[in-house]
């Protein structure tokens, strides 16, 4: 369940926790003409960067040019947390990050292991994000809808915040 108090008071940490908890989100490069695609995030909290392993021959990798920007969409495991992160994206085979984030799942995609000639990484430097955290309480949701229908107030079933990095 999304912690609504944390969404209000420490939305950046909550976003980072949610990114760390998902197996994949949807990554898209602005202006590329490509659909967003599922990618597994590797979060570097210290630099506000999300790293992704990719194949050099992938359409997305080929679409990234100097100055490219991307969006990464996050949906929490319980579907009560949503976020969209945006920022510049680059192709960057940082060997230290490769070694830090390498695991058996990544290895399954690259026959040549860490030295596979198709292996590269993408670095999304987060510049801003917007989050939506909502209650999963059916009672609270029902109460807020009923109250809104009896008054001129909008239902309060969650928190929306913008984050700048």
């Amino acid at each position: 369940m999304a912690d609504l108090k944390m969404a209000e008071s420490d939305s950046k940490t909550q976003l980072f926790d949610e990114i760390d908890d998902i197996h994949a989100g949807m990554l898209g490069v602005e202006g590329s003409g490509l659909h967003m695609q599922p990618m597994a995030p590797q979060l570097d909290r210290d630099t506000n960067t999300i790293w992704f392993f990719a194949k050099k021959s992938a359409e997305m990798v080929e679409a990234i040019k100097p100055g490219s920007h991307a969006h990464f969409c996050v949906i929490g495991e319980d579907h009560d947390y949503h976020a969209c992160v945006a920022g510049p994206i680059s192709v960057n085979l940082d060997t230290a990050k490769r070694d830090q984030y390498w695991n058996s799942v990544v290895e399954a995609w690259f026959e040549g292991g860490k030295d596979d000639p198709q292996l590269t990484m993408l670095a999304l430097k987060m510049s801003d994000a917007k989050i939506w955290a909502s209650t999963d309480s059916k009672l609270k949701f029902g109460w807020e809808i009923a109250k809104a229908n009896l008054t001129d107030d909008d239902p309060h079933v969650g928190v929306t915040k913008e984050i700048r990095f």
Side-chain angles (χ1 to χ4, degrees), residues 74-116:
V74 176
I75 299 176
E77 185 177 312
D78 294 329
H79 299 275
D80 57 356
Y81 186 90
H82 298 79
C84 183
V85 177
I89 190 165
S90 61
V91 179
N92 179 351
L93 181 56
D94 181 314
T95 56
K97 293 298 176 190
R98 178 201 63 193
D99 293 346
Q100 178 181 353
Y101 298 127
W102 190 261
N103 60 58
S104 61
V105 175
V106 174
E107 188 170 12
W109 293 97
F110 297 97
E111 290 180 21
K114 291 180 184 179
D115 297 319
D116 190 303

Side-chain angles (χ1 to χ4, degrees), residues 96-164:
K97 293 298 176 190
R98 178 201 63 193
D99 293 346
Q100 178 181 353
Y101 298 127
W102 190 261
N103 60 58
S104 61
V105 175
V106 174
E107 188 170 12
W109 293 97
F110 297 97
E111 290 180 21
K114 291 180 184 179
D115 297 319
D116 190 303
Q118 278 293 307
L119 175 66
T120 194
M121 296 183 80
L122 309 178
L124 172 59
K125 179 73 174 159
M126 295 181 277
S127 59
D128 62 274
K130 188 161 186 178
I131 66 154
W132 297 264
S134 59
T135 181
D136 71 346
S137 167
K138 291 178 182 174
L139 182 62
K140 177 168 176 46
F141 182 83
W143 167 254
E144 288 294 327
I145 297 301
K147 186 173 72 171
N149 284 324
L150 295 172
T151 67
D152 289 333
D153 296 336
D154 288 336
H156 182 68
V157 294
V159 173
T160 301
K161 298 276 285 201
E162 291 188 27
I163 305 168
R164 296 270 177 214

